[in-house]
Amino acid sequence: MLGNFTYHNPTKLYFGKDALQGLSEELPKYGKTVQLIYGGGSIKQNGVYEKVVAILKACGKTVVEDGGVMPNPTVEKLYGGIEIARSHHTDLLLAVGGGSVCDYAKAVSASVHCDEDPWKKYFLRGEEPTCPTLPVGCVLTMVGTGSEMNGGAVITNPAEKRKLGHVFGSDVMPKFTVLNPEFTYTVPMRQMVAGIYDAFNHICEQYFSGDDDNVSDDLSEALMRSIVKNSRVAVRDPKNYEARSNLMWAATWALNTLLSRGKTTDWEVHGLGQAVGAYTDATHGMTLAAVTLPYYRTLLPYGTAKFKQFALNVWNVSPEGTDAEIAERGLSALESWMKELGLTIHLRELGVREEMLEGLADATKNRSGGYKILTREEMLAIFRASL
Ligand code: NZQ
Ligand code: ZN
């Protein structure tokens, strides 16, 4: 049975080959100074930077550069971004890039007018902003996180060896997002498949929790099937617009606050994966891929009915045998697809070493929404099984 909920998503989306025109429509709604946030330079190589700056200039904006946001943005970088926004009196934070850039923009938004340390306030204590926030807009260039239409922001504190997320409310969610699938054509293959797996796992995190028959699970299964089908095309033919556009749209729906309405969710793959990220700075989707199979095999006896449903409805496996056998067939199908995409499924390949495992268990956020709350021993066993 669906629980009670409120649903409100304030992000306006512009989708398609002409989506950047949406930026010209949006910019006049905001003040003169735009903090242009981007990553390590991919947008300068693929021409997106030039197109965005041309529109900013045409709209009479003063552009304040804030580049160099790294994958897995750090708290030090966040402090720098807050200073830029304060000293230039930024009116709009415009993130052009992947999830890291969008997340960073949201964290800056909630911190510019806040006297407290954002790391402590938002990421350690999980509080809501108690100060005015700055509007955020996104031009997405990489598919995966769903950050373009949600309130999530994930920040890494390398000194404390913690990578933590916070879900901000609707004030901080992007006011608008431009989604042009063609902007994703230049994403390197390894990043593309990591992003595809990230989106797929966001659905799993919301699916493997609860045993009710609800619309969210039906939507989830359809989205998962679509991601699997389109991933195979995109790997073979990265410039296939149909596949890239379907992936982009499915990834947005995978984590734009819809699927989780009225139901419980898990998020333990992310809990385990973010610990790996804190220790290794590895690509987010790969950290998830590396912990998924041992985690789900630990969970299977406690959520057999749902794993069986996943096997039958997402992977179309044979319905012969016991529930547990059918359920395991689904995880084997998932494993084959992950290998086919070229995902990293061993932690050692991400730089994890045996002596890190205790620290990884300490850094893992333990969630209670899945079919089982993991003990520390189980966490260690999962990390060890993935090494
Ligand atoms: O930095 P640049 O030079 O732009 O290169 C980036 C980066 O190296 C590159 N890239 C992006 N678009 C490109 C491109 N290269 C060529 N052509 C393009 N069009 O891809 C690399 C990865 O970018 P990044 O933004 O880090 O990837 P992603 O979108 O996967 O974001 C990862 C971050 O998002 C967080 C993760 O933890 C991680 O910190 N997440 C945010 C979530 C949310 N807000 O809800 C949920 C997720 O579960 C996730 O935790
Ligand atoms: Zn994720």
Side-chain angles (χ1 to χ4, degrees), residues 310-341:
F310 174 73
L312 293 172
N313 295 353
V314 179
W315 299 102
N316 198 22
V317 303
S318 153
E320 302 295 316
T322 65
D323 288 357
E325 284 166 356
I326 298 167
E328 170 49 39
R329 224 169 272 143
L331 291 185
S332 298
L334 170 64
E335 182 169 357
S336 302
W337 174 63
M338 291 168 78
K339 288 180 177 162
E340 188 186 325
L341 289 192

Side-chain angles (χ1 to χ4, degrees), residues 145 198 202 255 267 270 284 288:
T145 64
D198 188 22
H202 293 157
L255 194 54
W267 295 104
H270 277 64
H284 172 65
L288 306 178

Side-chain angles (χ1 to χ4, degrees), residues 208 210-211 296 298-309 327 371-372:
F208 289 119
D211 272 325
Y296 284 159
T298 305
L299 211 58
L300 191 150
Y302 304 90
T304 310
K306 198 59 161 289
F307 281 98
K308 177 184 167 189
Q309 187 181 327
Y371 293 117
K372 178 172 198 319

